[in-house]
Amino acid sequence: CLPAPVAAQMLSDAWCGPREQITRALTLREGAVKQGQGIRDPDSLMELWARPDGGWTLVVRYADGISCVVGQGEAWEAAAGPGS
C-alpha cells in the first residue's frame, strides 16, 4: 500500500483514465474490492470500491471505456442485509 498522502493524491476526486488503469490502481495499489455497481444512466455505471482499512471510492464507468473517481471517504461499513 502507498502512504495515505500519496494514495489520496493518486485517487483524488475527478481523477479519470482508462478503466483498466483505474481498476489496477484500486486493486493493486489500494487493496480495494468492488462492493457493488448500478446503472446511472444509459452511458454510465456507478461502482463502489472499499478497502480493508475502511476507505471507500466511488467510480463512474462510462461506455467509452473511461472511468472517473468521483468521491472518496472513510469508515465504510457493509450493510448486514436488507434494511440494515
Side-chain angles (χ1 to χ4, degrees):
C1 265
L2 296 171
V6 174
Q9 182 180 12
M10 284 181 47
L11 295 176
S12 64
D13 289 353
W15 178 59
C16 297
R19 181 177 192 281
E20 298 79 22
Q21 179 183 17
I22 302 293
T23 299
R24 189 174 329 116
L26 288 168
T27 57
L28 298 178
R29 295 179 185 159
E30 294 292 308
V33 175
K34 187 163 76 169
Q35 302 296 303
Q37 65 183 28
I39 296 172
R40 181 172 174 241
D41 59 43
D43 294 318
S44 64
L45 184 76
M46 298 297 296
E47 300 176 334
L48 191 288
W49 294 74
R51 298 187 315 265
D53 68 1
W56 59 267
T57 304
L58 187 61
V59 176
V60 179
R61 185 172 81 188
Y62 294 98
D64 64 1
I66 297 297
S67 288
C68 295
V69 171
V70 295
Q72 292 183 293
E74 298 176 9
W76 173 257
E77 294 182 26
S84 296

